[in-house]
Amino acid sequence: MRKPPATAQSLIADLGLQDALQQDLIESAFAFKAPRHFIAQIQTADAEDPLLKQILPIQAENHSPEGYLTDPVGDHLKNPQPALIHKYHGRVLLIASPKCDIHCRYCFRRHFPYESHANQRHWQKALATISNDRTLHEVILSGGDPMSLSENALLKLCQQIETIEQITTLRVHTRTPVVAPDKAAQNQWLAWTRETRLNVVMVVHSNHGNELSKETGELFSRYRQAGVTLLNQSVLLKGVNDSIEILEELSHKLFAQGILPYYLHQLDKVSGASHFEVEDRLALNLHEQLRQRLPGYLVPKLVREIAGEPYKTPLIP
Ligand SMILES: *Cc1c(COP(=O)(O)O)cnc(C)c1O
Ligand code: SF4
């Protein structure tokens, strides 16, 4: 198979979009990165392609209106020790990987220093802290992207979590199965999920029906057979999925692949992402239309993360 284009320049050349987009590209410290499968789902010769927009570093990123911050959700503050983020009752988030397979331009973590968090030494200390906290019942592996770890590293971490008595649920937050299903296969890990006493929940991240392919469908079917509960979170993104038809189709396509919509997030105001912002009024309007068109179980919760709040806050009119 062909290697994925290594630069945004070569990608737009491959897509026949040099003339349309060349002038708009920028160099960014949060570099261009996208795996082959995701790129294969992009339409050629369409500068407005909703997948392309999620990965191209463009000039609008240099624009940081007031209110856009490097840590909009307060993660740096709620970081009691390296690798651990404890914001909500009963569940704790473990930074399980320093990297992602894709760099989503709107990511609220684009300025978070992961490399200094995700390593064995920090994990061992984090696991000790979790073991000593009887109020916890759920560990969330996040990142970076935990499925970008080597299979051995992921398995070992999960097996250690399994030994902590009060933990009943292991959750994995990951975009890898959607963007690079070939990398997320993880046979040994799937064998482990079949056997474990833990409830295993995977929250994937897909923003547009075009991201879901035959390959992702086959992978999710294997996860389900291994007893994994599948949920999806999306970010509402201007020019990508801020339309009722797209959101409605996404819910249907997710369900066809065995996944229930969980959250639809209002954008976190991270510097460099302001061009993706959808106004609250439009967000609420889209959500209302989803309610009118879909069964309740296919309507995601529309939320915003507010630093300091004890849960993801629902948007209300
Ligand atoms: C989003 C998040 C969670 C999970 O929240 P749920 O509402 O349970 O999905 C947990 N910890 C942190 C730090 C989070 O940002
Ligand atoms: S996969 Fe998730 S964590 Fe990684 S860049 Fe995309 S949105 Fe951010």
Side-chain angles (χ1 to χ4, degrees):
M1 256 201 264
R2 282 181 63 199
K3 280 184 64 169
T7 64
Q9 294 282 353
S10 52
L11 173 62
I12 61 168
D14 288 359
L15 295 170
L17 290 169
Q18 227 155 359
D19 291 344
L21 295 173
Q22 173 93 352
Q23 294 301 320
D24 204 19
L25 288 185
I26 55 163
E27 291 291 323
S28 166
F30 184 60
F32 167 83
K33 184 177 184 187
R36 187 194 314 126
H37 177 269
F38 187 85
I39 285 173
Q41 315 309 311
I42 297 174
Q43 313 289 315
T44 49
D46 179 6
E48 298 296 314
D49 182 275
L51 276 56
L52 181 62
K53 284 192 165 176
Q54 295 179 55
I55 55 172
L56 272 194
I58 58 169
Q59 299 206 15
E61 291 187 19
N62 288 333
H63 205 57
S64 254
E66 206 179 323
Y68 277 76
L69 310 169
T70 54
D71 180 24
V73 299
D75 275 0
H76 301 260
L77 296 175
K78 285 287 179 184
N79 192 216
Q81 70 185 73
L84 218 51
I85 302 176
H86 191 183
K87 287 209 274 206
Y88 302 143
H89 181 79
R91 52 226 197 269
V92 69
L93 194 145
L94 184 66
I95 299 173
S97 168
K99 61 180 172 37
C100 296
D101 302 285
I102 186 168
H103 283 174
C104 311
R105 306 315 302 175
Y106 54 84
C107 181
F108 74 92
R109 299 190 178 113
R110 52 186 290 169
H111 308 284
F112 196 85
Y114 289 102
E115 292 69 19
S116 58
H117 287 266
N119 66 45
Q120 273 299 338
R121 191 165 51 86
H122 291 326
W123 287 341
Q124 294 320 313
K125 285 194 185 152
L127 290 169
T129 303
I130 295 169
S131 300
N132 289 328
D133 187 343
R134 304 295 298 187
T135 68
L136 295 174
H137 55 81
E138 176 168 4
V139 176
I140 302 171
L141 301 183
S142 184
D145 197 314
M147 299 301 281
S148 71
L149 284 176
S150 76
E151 180 158 18
N152 266 341
L154 178 68
L155 195 59
K156 203 170 151 220
L157 195 55
C158 292
Q159 284 167 337
Q160 283 185 286
I161 292 165
E162 192 179 27
T163 65
I164 304 174
E165 203 185 330
Q166 70 270 31
I167 300 302
T168 55
T169 302
L170 172 75
R171 189 185 333 174
V172 182
H173 278 185
T174 175
R175 187 144 158 77
T176 304
V178 170
V179 302
D182 45 326
K183 285 197 191 166
Q186 310 269 22
N187 288 326
Q188 281 177 302
W189 185 75
L190 277 174
W192 174 82
T193 63
R194 274 177 206 277
E195 303 296 327
T196 179
R197 69 172 180 87
L198 297 172
N199 266 319
V200 181
V201 180
M202 180 179 278
V203 181
V204 299
H205 171 179
S206 175
N207 299 317
H208 194 290
N210 290 5
E211 295 173 17
L212 301 171
S213 63
K214 183 166 150 287
E215 289 80 5
T216 63
E218 284 165 5
L219 179 63
F220 291 131
S221 150
R222 291 179 58 206
Y223 286 145
R224 283 207 299 159
Q225 282 164 26
V228 179
T229 299
L230 296 173
L231 303 172
N232 180 66
Q233 51 185 341
S234 306
V235 182
L236 187 57
L237 299 166
K238 186 175 183 175
V240 173
N241 59 8
D242 57 340
S243 97
I244 181 63
E245 289 76 19
I246 290 169
L247 291 173
E248 185 184 6
E249 188 200 22
L250 175 61
S251 276
H252 283 303
K253 275 191 139 176
L254 285 166
F255 192 54
Q257 299 205 349
I259 307 165
L260 285 173
Y262 179 40
Y263 281 138
L264 177 61
H265 293 272
Q266 263 297 45
L267 185 76
D268 295 309
K269 296 196 174 193
V270 65
S271 44
S274 63
H275 54 298
F276 288 113
E277 183 175 353
V278 175
E279 275 182 45
D280 280 0
R281 208 161 39 94
L282 176 58
L284 284 161
N285 179 282
L286 289 168
H287 195 243
E288 171 62 25
Q289 291 185 66
L290 282 180
R291 282 200 170 113
Q292 290 179 16
R293 292 184 183 215
L294 291 168
Y297 60 88
L298 292 188
V299 180
K301 298 173 179 65
L302 177 63
V303 294
R304 155 169 293 133
E305 187 152 350
I306 301 174
E309 289 294 313
Y311 47 83
K312 314 249 189 255
T313 311
L315 252 73
I316 37 177

